[in-house]
Amino acid sequence: MTDIIDDLAWRGLIAQSTDIDALRASMAKAPITAYCGFDPTAPSLHVGHFVPLLTLSRLQLAGHNVIGLVGGATGLIGDPSGRNTERSLNSSEIVAEWVERLRGQVGKFLDFDAAANPARLVSNLDWTGELSAIDFLRDIGKHFPVNRMLARESVSARLAGEGLSYTEFSYQILQSNDFLELFRRYNCTLQLGGSDQWGNITAGADLIRRVEGGHVHVLTQPLITKADGTKFGKTAGGALWLDPEMTSPYAFYQYFLNSDDRDVIHYLKVFTFRGREEIEELEKAVAERPFAREAQRTLAEDLTELLHGRAELEAVVAASKALFGQGSLDELPAATLEAALAEVPKATVTELGATFVDLLADSGLVESKSAARRAVKEGGAYLNNVKITDEAYVPGASDLLAGRFMVLRRGKKSIGGVEVA
């Protein structure tokens, strides 16, 4: 069996570690307990959270114990890491609602029924909510030298700008206390997190050493970047969310299907459970048959099934094929059609009556009406996968899919849409 540390390193999932050899030795002796925290700063986790979530899952599959922590307390405060301005504080009611939503998402990636090492899911409000201000200052705060706190990158960067409130300044103490509590309750000796969390996490390790004399480990994962310089996980509509109501399964699938050849092998290592041999074969396919996009399809299918389930994967694959003339559009659910057309050039009309040529131009699928007429004349224009050869054709109610949509296509690969709203 491959050593889990070796596997994480091969996948590019180790950015920093307090002592990687000591961690490896500890894991070789007996299963350890690891945790990662997720703050409810939005109603959903986003695709960047896949990295620590799947790392927790890999550790559990390797026989270790794992804890997913949702920040019911720290979500009320706000982490200054990576931010130039102060966070707007959300109400306790909103944070509580988001905590429950995040619980469900984190729970998808951990096995709570494993016979030998069932996962745990906790909220730090369980212990932080009971902590008085006096106890917090006397028992925890006294172990944090202010000069060391000021030197942390997340703090010093803000102090060089518009400043930092005491609320956000205290965040690293609260996160450190989480590590201490999990060490005490579950003998948790490893905390995972993004590389931007290094200062916060090592502060927790130092707190455990000071208070309990314990030796624990820190392992951070690199932040994912794209070869073209654009930000990973960002779409035209914003972040790529794990909640299907915020990012449709179709849009999620298409994002990874459209991965750059330069990125796809790295993504397969980071985001899937495919083994080394399989990924190396896909790497060959990218080099030898890039037009086939085998690696991209594998990536998109694995991740969509992992997050949304097999039935949803089959639905989005069917939709993807149907949009490009390889299946029936009539059988697609309205929600899937809406999600698919949200990703392509689209015209919105209040009533029918415009010609097909007008709709082609208005959707932005072609640059002008003359270009639309030329596409029709050359036999490269389609309405709902039916070739249109009459420039004067006016789509009617019978052409509407799900009562409100039409799919436009130019050639084999350019898709557009019309919605009657």
Side-chain angles (χ1 to χ4, degrees):
M1 181 176 177
T2 303
D3 178 277
I4 183 62
I5 295 296
D6 286 344
D7 184 62
L8 293 178
W10 173 74
R11 292 179 184 276
L13 288 171
I14 299 177
Q16 304 145 303
S17 172
T18 41
D19 188 335
I20 199 70
D21 291 331
L23 175 59
R24 190 196 303 271
S26 182
M27 287 178 160
K29 284 182 186 176
I32 67 164
T33 299
Y35 98 95
C36 186
F38 305 90
D39 272 348
T41 55
S44 170
L45 298 175
H46 55 72
V47 72
H49 291 112
F50 259 142
V51 180
L53 279 170
L54 295 181
T55 302
L56 275 181
S57 183
R58 294 181 206 283
L59 288 170
Q60 186 178 21
L61 289 170
H64 299 287
N65 304 297
V66 295
I67 301 171
L69 180 147
V70 181
T74 44
L76 291 165
I77 300 301
D79 181 4
S81 301
R83 294 183 61 87
N84 297 321
T85 59
E86 189 87 6
R87 287 183 186 272
S88 297
L89 297 182
N90 294 304
S91 69
S92 56
E93 291 79 14
I94 288 176
V95 171
E97 177 189 341
W98 290 355
V99 162
E100 291 310 306
R101 294 179 65 151
L102 266 59
R103 279 182 189 272
Q105 291 179 349
V106 172
K108 286 185 177 183
F109 299 89
L110 306 179
D111 185 356
F112 298 97
D113 299 315
N117 59 335
R120 296 180 185 273
L121 191 58
V122 300
S123 169
N124 56 19
L125 190 62
D126 292 345
W127 52 83
T128 310
E130 301 171 352
L131 194 61
S132 72
I134 294 297
D135 291 339
F136 173 72
L137 293 172
R138 282 179 56 86
D139 299 338
I140 307 299
K142 68 179 180 179
H143 296 290
F144 285 81
V146 171
N147 60 330
R148 190 173 299 177
M149 293 176 70
L150 291 171
R152 298 202 187 281
E153 185 179 350
S154 61
V155 173
S156 60
R158 285 282 292 278
L159 292 178
E162 69 170 32
L164 183 73
S165 71
Y166 178 75
T167 300
E168 287 196 356
F169 183 59
S170 68
Y171 183 91
Q172 62 182 283
I173 304 179
L174 293 176
Q175 182 172 329
S176 298
N177 188 50
D178 292 342
F179 201 177
L180 175 62
E181 282 295 326
L182 295 177
F183 175 80
R184 287 169 168 169
R185 295 178 183 218
Y186 307 115
N187 192 30
C188 179
T189 56
L190 172 63
Q191 185 178 171
L192 304 173
S195 56
D196 59 339
Q197 289 290 309
W198 177 254
N200 288 340
I201 302 177
T202 52
D206 189 55
L207 177 64
I208 291 169
R209 180 185 61 78
R210 289 169 180 266
V211 174
E212 298 289 346
H215 178 71
V216 296
H217 307 279
V218 170
L219 194 66
T220 67
Q221 290 78 56
L223 303 181
I224 305 301
T225 57
K226 293 176 71 173
D228 64 6
T230 59
K231 192 169 183 180
F232 170 76
K234 289 293 184 182
T235 68
L240 201 67
W241 301 101
L242 304 193
D243 188 321
E245 297 298 319
M246 297 173 69
T247 296
S248 71
Y250 181 87
F252 183 88
Y253 174 86
Q254 287 294 326
Y255 180 89
F256 287 102
L257 188 64
N258 292 326
S259 296
D260 193 302
D261 286 348
R262 296 170 294 174
D263 293 319
V264 67
I265 298 304
H266 178 52
Y267 292 171
L268 281 164
K269 291 178 180 179
V270 170
F271 296 122
T272 78
F273 291 93
R274 301 269 170 174
R276 186 178 296 218
E277 288 186 9
E278 288 179 288
I279 292 177
E280 287 175 350
E281 283 299 314
L282 288 166
E283 190 168 16
K284 286 183 186 176
V286 172
E288 298 169 1
R289 304 180 299 278
F291 54 87
R293 301 187 71 76
E294 294 169 47
Q296 283 88 345
R297 192 165 57 253
T298 299
L299 174 69
E301 290 181 1
D302 280 10
L303 282 180
T304 304
E305 182 172 5
L306 178 67
L307 180 60
H308 296 298
R310 186 70 192 177
E312 201 63 63
L313 168 63
E314 291 174 354
V316 299
V317 169
S320 185
K321 289 181 177 179
L323 287 169
F324 292 94
Q326 300 172 33
S328 173
L329 290 166
D330 295 324
E331 298 174 3
L332 297 183
T336 302
L337 268 171
E338 183 174 20
L341 294 182
E343 303 299 310
V344 300
K346 187 177 72 171
T348 302
V349 299
T350 56
E351 58 184 4
L352 297 172
T355 67
F356 176 66
V357 165
D358 288 336
L359 293 174
L360 268 180
D362 292 345
S363 70
L365 192 57
V366 294
E367 60 272 17
S368 65
K369 287 185 182 180
S370 61
R373 283 192 285 272
R374 187 163 58 251
V376 172
K377 185 178 180 180
E378 294 172 352
Y382 298 81
L383 173 63
N384 300 338
N385 289 335
V386 176
K387 184 184 291 187
I388 301 298
T389 57
D390 181 1
E391 294 179 22
Y393 182 72
V394 177
S398 62
D399 291 307
L400 293 177
L401 301 167
R404 52 192 268 239
F405 299 108
M406 288 182 280
V407 174
L408 312 176
R409 179 157 53 89
R410 185 189 64 181
K412 293 182 178 180
K413 296 184 177 180
S414 299
I415 300 292
V418 177
E419 179 179 4
V420 180

